[in-house]
Amino acid sequence: MELSHEYYTYQDTAKELEISLEEKNRRLIQNQDDKIHLATLQERNRIAKEIHDNTGHLLSRSLLQIGALMIITKDKVLLENLKVLKDSLSVGMDNIRSSIHNLHDESVDLYASINTLVKEFTFCPITFDYHLKNTPTTQLKYFFLWTIKESLSNVTKHSNATKVSIVLMEHPIMYQLIITNNGNSILDENMYLSDGIGLRTMRERTHAFKGIFQVSTEKGFRIFITIPIKNEEVVNNESTCD
């Protein structure tokens, strides 16, 4: 009986070890995939910047030089040829700008960018939950990033919080961003809610997306933002995460 018990114990231990190793292997593969994905996005950014700085600059200078030649030339045939050349270069410049824009848009990984902000936040413990199935527009990505960055800055500067929570989730018709902390504002509450430049800007940008912006000071401080998915594309918003 004792030998049988040891055998089954060994089997259970071996099974637990196998499961543990499988989980560690899965995590290693996932981390490797994440690193490859991030490296790919960074390379896209590098290529976009290189095209902008080098090729874009050369085309811009060429267009200026052609424009100068068109002003001083008196030869009608040469002038017409210069005009055709200028139009062709202008089309090429527009195509490059479009390609750079697309490369940059694709290189914005919302989850990775927010996760970086979370890792860099050292004021107090922080949790981050991300539940998006689809990819928001680039403008909305920047809005979420800017809002989170501004909120974490406010916690550091104006709060005595000991924990922070960020939740970004997707519902069938809307996105929700909820940022909470358990602290009290060091500033006067009414001033913080009504006159704070950061919060006022958050409200204005949320409304630009046809969204709803709410703030609560019950048991800490909470920012609650909802953005209708069907209306997000109508925004011409200059929000960035500098």
Side-chain angles (χ1 to χ4, degrees):
M1 290 292 294
E2 184 176 348
L3 184 61
S4 176
H5 176 72
E6 289 180 359
Y7 171 75
Y8 287 117
T9 301
Y10 170 79
Q11 272 194 324
D12 292 341
T13 303
K15 187 62 178 178
E16 289 176 2
L17 181 60
E18 181 183 355
I19 293 173
S20 177
L21 289 174
E22 287 177 353
E23 176 62 19
K24 288 181 179 179
N25 187 54
R26 186 193 65 79
R27 290 179 181 176
L28 285 172
I29 293 173
Q30 181 63 49
N31 288 337
Q32 185 178 32
D33 289 345
D34 290 344
K35 289 179 180 179
I36 292 172
H37 180 56
L38 183 59
T40 301
L41 297 181
Q42 290 173 339
E43 180 64 9
R44 285 179 180 173
N45 258 333
R46 186 194 65 78
I47 293 172
K49 185 177 185 303
E50 190 171 297
I51 293 173
H52 177 270
D53 294 344
N54 297 327
T55 308
H57 176 71
L58 288 173
L59 284 177
S60 295
R61 188 172 63 181
S62 298
L63 284 169
L64 289 174
Q65 290 173 339
I66 292 173
L69 287 173
M70 290 175 66
I71 293 174
I72 63 174
T73 188
K74 297 180 179 179
D75 188 318
K76 293 184 178 180
V77 176
L78 178 58
L79 182 62
E80 185 63 28
N81 288 333
L82 286 173
K83 184 178 182 303
V84 173
L85 178 59
K86 184 180 180 181
D87 290 343
S88 297
L89 287 176
S90 295
V91 171
M93 189 67 175
D94 290 340
N95 289 338
I96 285 178
R97 285 172 178 163
S98 177
S99 296
I100 292 174
H101 180 75
N102 291 335
L103 277 173
H104 182 67
D105 287 356
E106 292 174 3
S107 67
V108 179
D109 186 314
L110 183 58
Y111 174 80
S113 299
I114 297 175
N115 205 38
T116 297
L117 293 176
V118 169
K119 289 180 178 179
E120 292 175 349
F121 182 76
T122 58
F123 181 79
C124 65
I126 181 171
T127 60
F128 170 43
D129 293 314
Y130 183 94
H131 304 286
L132 297 191
K133 294 181 179 179
N134 299 304
T135 302
T137 63
T138 301
Q139 290 176 325
L140 191 52
K141 287 181 185 178
Y142 283 136
F143 169 70
F144 286 145
L145 286 171
W146 176 85
T147 301
I148 292 170
K149 185 176 182 179
E150 180 69 17
S151 298
L152 294 180
S153 176
N154 284 342
V155 170
T156 301
K157 295 177 181 178
H158 308 305
S159 174
N160 58 357
T162 59
K163 61 181 179 180
V164 176
S165 169
I166 300 172
V167 178
L168 181 57
M169 64 181 71
E170 177 183 341
H171 299 283
I173 61 171
M174 63 184 174
Y175 295 110
Q176 284 187 337
L177 174 62
I178 307 170
I179 306 171
T180 60
N181 70 75
N182 65 340
N184 298 315
S185 172
I186 296 173
L187 302 177
D188 176 75
E189 180 180 299
N190 292 328
M191 181 183 74
Y192 189 60
L193 290 177
S194 61
D195 298 328
I197 295 175
L199 289 175
R200 187 163 64 246
T201 304
M202 285 181 202
R203 182 180 292 106
E204 290 172 354
R205 291 180 175 178
T206 301
H207 291 167
F209 283 103
K210 308 299 181 184
I212 299 173
F213 179 88
Q214 295 177 324
V215 171
S216 171
T217 56
E218 184 179 354
K219 296 181 180 180
F221 193 84
R222 184 181 79 159
I223 294 173
F224 187 90
I225 295 172
T226 61
I227 304 291
I229 292 177
K230 64 180 180 179
N231 289 327
E232 62 163 279
E233 68 272 9
V234 304
V235 178
N236 183 14
N237 195 309
E238 294 183 355
S239 62
T240 60
C241 187
D242 296 327

